[in-house]
Structures are given as structure tokens and as C-alpha cells.
Amino acid sequence: MKERVARWWAELPPAAGSAVMATGILSVGFHLTGRETVSRVLFGLACVVWVLLAGDFAHRLLRSRPRWVAEADTPPALTAVAATTVLGVRVALLGWTTTAAVLLALSAVLWAPLLGAVLRHVGRRMPGGVFLICVATQGLVVLAATLAVPPADRDWLARTGLVFFVLGLLLYAAALFRFDFRQVTEGAGDQWVAGGALAISALAGSKLLATGVWAGTGAHTALRTVTLILLAGDLAWYVALLAAELLRRRPGYDLRRWATVFPMGMTSVACLSTSAATAIGWLDGLGQVLLWIVTAAWLVTLALMVRTLPARTRDPFVSPGSDFR
């Protein structure tokens, strides 16, 4: 058993970071709805997994350089950035601004080389993981804007975040052009990132609105409109992807199912945050309903993952021919 678990861990692909993303955003959602105990338990779990994956990331960089370079060329490598920003947001919400700032700096340092490597190797008819080029970028915006929310006097973070926000939208368009739409009915879980990227973009927009930097200006109105459009697009994706899941069931466990849980959680948090930033009350109720749905999805995915640990002796996450490593 011990040897199998060790081998399972050693063979984890970069996409394992999506488990931290899913758990971290669920923690944020429970914090926003006032369920602090559950939120902190999930936060602690996300921290433990993040530390383990960070150690594995460093070990591969220093001791298995060819493998690290090969994996860095793939979109799932950007989960290292996205997971760190999600964790940073929860840290910032705890009031640990210095630690959150360090995580923002670390995310930014990782973002530039990983994004460059991924963009150089993005092909056509890509799985949903390609949208991580947007997710990782908007993750930086969400964390920067969270650190800039009053009473903090960090307007420069909000203004820099706005630049990255626009860049993230451009990267979403690029990913959409490369996305294989057959993945909507055939994907193993990461197809949900197509909607999740819009969700985190809407969350980024709501966080920028909350900074108050553009209050009373045309820029504030434009940003509010764009945020609501992004959220509407995300909800449309949510309905379409859920319908595809019901029409073509894909049972069993695959690591990419964490890339289903994360967008579901991000949609919930985007609704909650946008409701607060735009004073649209019904979005809060919708966000709370979606939070319980993603909680159920998280529990099912965790149970299926645990069940695979003693049974599999090969890499259980990557099906033959998959581009989502």
C-alpha cells in the first residue's frame, strides 16, 4: 500500500494543482457565506496539499529537469500559478496581507515563464486545460485587487490589475479559438474550465469594482457592465456543460474532475462577489445554492480519488492520447 501511494504521488501530473484550486475556492465560498469553521478546515487542507505539490514542483525542477521542462510546456502547468493565487486570496481574507503579498509575488514570478512556455506550444483542438492561460492571469488580478480593497491604500495594484484583466480576456479569446468544442460532450472534466475562466474573470471584475478606484466614473460603469456580461457567459457555460454531463455520462474518477469542481466553485464565488459589488441581491442567493452543489461535487470527487489510491498501480489520471497532462 505504501509503495503504491508513493508511486501514485510520484506520477502526479501538473494538473494535480486543480485539487488545490477546487478546495481553496470552496474555502473562499464558505467564508463569504459566514461559515468560517468549514472554510478554515478546507483552507488548512488546501495549504497542506499546496505545500506537498510545491515541494514536488521544486524537486522536479532541481532533480528531474527534463521532465519538468516537458511538463512546463503544457497548460496544466499553469495550475501552479492559479492554485497559489486562490490560496493567496483566502490568506488575504484572513488579514494576513504580508503573506498574501508574498504569494502574489511568487505567482507573478511563476506566471511569466510558464505562460510563455505554454503559449509557444499551444496547438489546435485543445482540451479545456487551454483556458488556464486565462485562469492563471485572472488569478493574479483577483489576488491583487483583494489586496487593494479599502482601507488598504494600494491603488497601483488595482490599476495594474486592470491591465492584466484586459490581458486575461484577450487570452480567453485566444483559448476559445484553440478549444476543441467536441470536448463539451467528450471531455473527462477539464472542459468545465471553459466556463470557469469566465467565472474567475467575472470575479476579477467584481474585485476591481470593490476597490473603488474608478467610483463615479465611466470606467466604473464599463467595468460593471463587462463583469455582468462575463458572469452571464459563465452561467450559460454552466448550464450547457451540466446538460452535456447529463446527456452523456462519464462515470469513474479522473484527475481532471478537480478541473470540474474548481469552475463550479468559482461560479458560486463569482456570483457572491458580484452581488456584493453591484448590489444585485438575487445573485447572492444563486451563489449560495451553487455553493452547496459544488460542495457535493467536491465530496464525490474526493471519495472517488481516495478509492483509487490502493487499487491503481499505473497513472490513473491520464487517458491514452490525452493532452491534459
Side-chain angles (χ1 to χ4, degrees):
M1 173 66 176
K2 184 177 179 180
E3 292 180 357
R4 288 180 177 179
V5 172
R7 181 176 178 182
W8 175 85
W9 183 266
E11 293 177 345
L12 277 178
S18 59
V20 178
M21 295 160 61
T23 306
I25 201 61
L26 195 58
S27 173
V28 172
F30 278 112
H31 169 77
L32 294 178
T33 55
R35 299 174 177 89
E36 196 64 23
T37 300
V38 177
S39 175
R40 292 194 180 215
V41 169
L42 289 167
F43 170 64
L45 180 58
C47 286
V48 170
V49 179
W50 183 88
V51 169
L52 291 172
L53 290 176
D56 188 54
F57 181 94
H59 178 268
R60 293 181 187 183
L61 175 62
L62 298 174
R63 306 295 293 273
S64 303
R65 193 61 176 268
R67 176 181 177 180
W68 187 91
V69 171
E71 291 176 340
D73 292 341
T74 64
L78 288 166
T79 60
V81 177
T84 303
T85 59
V86 170
L87 209 62
V89 169
R90 186 64 187 95
V91 168
L93 293 174
L94 286 168
W96 304 341
T97 54
T98 300
T99 303
V102 170
L103 290 174
L104 176 60
L106 175 61
S107 301
V109 168
L110 291 173
W111 173 82
L114 289 176
L115 180 66
V118 170
L119 290 177
R120 287 194 298 270
H121 295 86
V122 168
R124 294 184 179 275
R125 294 188 175 182
M126 296 287 289
V130 69
F131 288 98
L132 284 165
I133 62 176
C134 170
V135 171
T137 304
Q138 298 291 23
L140 294 173
V141 180
V142 173
L143 180 49
T146 301
L147 288 170
V149 169
D153 184 19
R154 303 186 184 94
D155 287 1
W156 68 272
L157 273 177
R159 297 183 189 283
T160 304
L162 183 62
V163 174
F164 277 78
F165 176 71
V166 174
L167 175 60
L169 296 183
L170 294 175
L171 289 171
Y172 183 87
L176 190 65
F177 179 72
R178 300 289 186 177
F179 179 55
D180 183 357
F181 281 87
R182 293 176 297 181
Q183 290 290 306
V184 172
T185 56
E186 298 175 2
D190 59 302
Q191 71 275 12
W192 280 78
V193 187
L198 287 182
I200 195 172
S201 297
L203 177 60
S206 70
K207 288 293 187 181
L208 289 171
L209 285 171
T211 64
V213 172
W214 300 278
T217 68
H220 181 275
T221 302
L223 183 58
R224 183 181 189 274
T225 301
V226 170
T227 298
L228 292 173
I229 290 173
L230 291 169
L231 184 58
D234 168 46
L235 292 172
W237 266 114
Y238 195 110
V239 172
L241 290 164
L242 183 59
E245 294 278 4
L246 295 174
L247 291 172
R248 186 167 180 175
R249 296 184 61 192
R250 283 150 276 188
Y253 177 71
D254 189 294
L255 181 65
R256 287 164 288 188
R257 274 306 175 191
W258 288 111
T260 297
V261 179
F262 170 71
M264 294 176 73
M266 184 56 72
T267 299
S268 170
V269 171
C271 287
L272 294 169
S273 182
T274 301
S275 175
T278 62
I280 299 178
W282 65 268
L283 283 175
D284 182 79
L286 177 60
Q288 295 202 40
V289 171
L290 294 178
L291 181 62
W292 290 113
I293 293 174
V294 68
T295 299
W298 185 89
L299 289 170
V300 169
T301 304
L302 178 64
L304 291 173
M305 183 190 75
V306 171
R307 193 174 69 176
T308 67
L309 293 181
R312 303 290 185 93
T313 56
R314 61 181 178 83
D315 186 346
F317 306 127
V318 185
S319 56
S322 171
D323 291 321
F324 193 73
R325 291 177 282 164

